[in-house]
Each structure stands twice: as C-alpha cells, then as structure tokens.
C-alpha cells in the first residue's frame, strides 16, 4: 500500500514551499483515499495564498461536501488568507455538527491571527461563555487565544480559575498565553504552578 508514501509526499511538498506543486496537490485532493485527500488539502493550505481563487474554490467545496476532509479544509482555508475565507469559515462554524464545529472555530482563530483581525473571533466569545460541550469550548478557547481577542480574556481567566474540567482549564490557560494576556493572565496562571 502506497498510502503512507503519498501522504508524506504531500507533506514534503508543503514543507518545501514549492508553488509548482499546487496543480498536483489539487488533483490529489480528489483522490479516493481519505488519507491522501486530507494530506493534499493540508498541503494546499500551506502553498496557496489570497490570490489563488482556484484552490480556494476547491477548499470551499471540500468544506461542504467531503465529510472526511472538511476539517482540514477549514484549517487550510484559513492559511490562504483569501477574502472568501471569513464568510466560508463562519458558515462552517454556524452550520457545523459537533465534530466539525471545533475545527471551524480553530480555523477562524488561525485566520484572525494570520490577518491580525481579532474581530473574526469576537462572536465566538459569547459561545465560549455559554456552550456546555467541553470539546467545543476547548476549541473556542484556543480560537479566541489564537485570534488575540482581548474581549475574551475575562472569560478565559474565569475558565482557568474555576474548578471543573481540567482539560478545558488547560486550553483556557494556553489561550491566555497565545493572546499574550499580560494584564490579568499571570495572576491567574502563576498559582496553578504550585
């Protein structure tokens, strides 16, 4: 089985940063093997940019039609910084199921960081405070931190300080570091060391 070789070939091309590989990766993004498709989609995110309308269209289709590769398509789409990415990722977050929604949230955080636009994750702060699903809240915490949304800092500090799910608290602690919350973060995080 050459699946592993093909997957690592896609990852290798992404690491090399060779835009001439985009055409071959687009083709591999339609492969029948789920692993190869996911690797190709991730590599496309690394090699494409805000001017690559053809790849963004492929990623948008993958986001809505390919159940096995849609999560990596969200992350790849964020990395392109394409003008269509914010709307596509917001829709993926709003319409996503409990498995896909965390990936769409993380992609929004990544895009916000790439663009330096915290407003992209500002709507996620409300969900961070109100949602009960710990997996989604963990992704939301990381998205808010990645996006450096200072409006979310109080909610993250509260999550860290509360007694409850240690994994969710850990994600919130990491998110405070990602957003570089120097105002209130150290006072909340230092006591956790002892």
């Amino acid at each position: 089985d050459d699946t592993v070789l093909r997957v690592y070939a896609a990852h290798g091309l992404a690491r090399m940063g060779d835009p001439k590989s985009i055409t071959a990766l687009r083709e591999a993004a339609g492969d029948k093997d789920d692993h190869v498709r996911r690797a190709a989609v991730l590599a496309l995110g690394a090699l494409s940019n805000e001017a690559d309308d053809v790849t963004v269209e492929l990623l948008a289709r993958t986001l809505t039609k390919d159940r096995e590769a849609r999560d990596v398509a969200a992350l790849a789409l964020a990395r392109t910084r394409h003008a269509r990415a914010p709307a596509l990722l917001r829709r993926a977050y709003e319409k996503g199921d409990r498995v896909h929604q965390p990936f769409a949230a993380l992609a929004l955080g990544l895009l916000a960081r790439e663009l330096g636009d915290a407003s992209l994750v500002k709507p996620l702060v409300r969900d961070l405070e109100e949602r009960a699903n710990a997996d989604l809240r963990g992704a939301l915490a990381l998205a808010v931190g990645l996006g450096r949304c200072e409006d979310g800092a109080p909610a993250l500090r509260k999550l860290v300080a509360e007694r409850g799910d240690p994994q969710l608290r850990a994600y919130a602690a990491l998110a405070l570091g990602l957003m570089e919350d120097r105002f209130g973060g150290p006072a909340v995080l230092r006591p956790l060391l002892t």
Side-chain angles (χ1 to χ4, degrees), residues 162-176:
E162 288 177 350
R163 297 282 176 229
D165 183 347
Q167 189 169 5
L168 177 57
R169 293 174 68 205
Y171 288 140
L174 177 59
L176 288 171

Side-chain angles (χ1 to χ4, degrees), residues 128-143:
L128 173 62
E129 295 170 329
E130 297 175 2
R131 295 285 182 129
N133 178 333
D135 290 336
L136 178 57
R137 288 181 80 201
L140 290 169
L142 291 173

Side-chain angles (χ1 to χ4, degrees), residues 49-54 56-57 77-88 111 115:
N49 60 41
E50 60 274 358
D52 189 348
D53 295 333
V54 175
V56 167
E57 183 56 36
L77 190 57
R79 294 193 67 194
T80 69
R81 299 178 311 219
H82 194 275
R84 290 182 57 204
L88 289 167
L111 181 62
L115 297 177

Side-chain angles (χ1 to χ4, degrees), residues 139-189:
L140 290 169
L142 291 173
V144 168
L146 277 169
R148 295 186 173 135
C149 182
E150 293 178 9
D151 290 353
L156 291 171
R157 288 185 215 124
K158 182 179 175 194
L159 276 175
V160 169
E162 288 177 350
R163 297 282 176 229
D165 183 347
Q167 189 169 5
L168 177 57
R169 293 174 68 205
Y171 288 140
L174 177 59
L176 288 171
L178 288 169
M179 76 166 41
E180 299 176 11
D181 177 33
R182 296 184 194 328
F183 175 71
V188 175
L189 296 179

Side-chain angles (χ1 to χ4, degrees), residues 14-78:
R15 294 290 303 157
M16 288 179 209
D18 178 21
K20 292 178 185 171
S21 302
I22 290 176
T23 302
L25 289 166
R26 285 183 193 143
E27 189 174 319
D31 198 271
K32 64 181 182 194
D33 187 295
D34 297 342
H35 301 291
V36 173
R37 277 198 325 278
R38 284 193 294 265
V41 166
L42 274 176
L44 283 168
L47 296 176
S48 299
N49 60 41
E50 60 274 358
D52 189 348
D53 295 333
V54 175
T55 296
V56 167
E57 183 56 36
L58 181 149
L59 295 174
R61 272 194 319 275
T62 304
L63 194 61
T64 58
K65 298 191 184 321
D66 186 340
R67 195 159 183 80
E68 299 303 320
R70 65 185 176 173
D71 296 336
V72 293
L75 299 172
L77 190 57

Side-chain angles (χ1 to χ4, degrees), residues 119-130:
S119 71
L120 292 172
V121 292
K122 204 171 185 177
L124 302 181
V125 174
R126 181 195 71 238
D127 287 350
L128 173 62
E129 295 170 329
E130 297 175 2

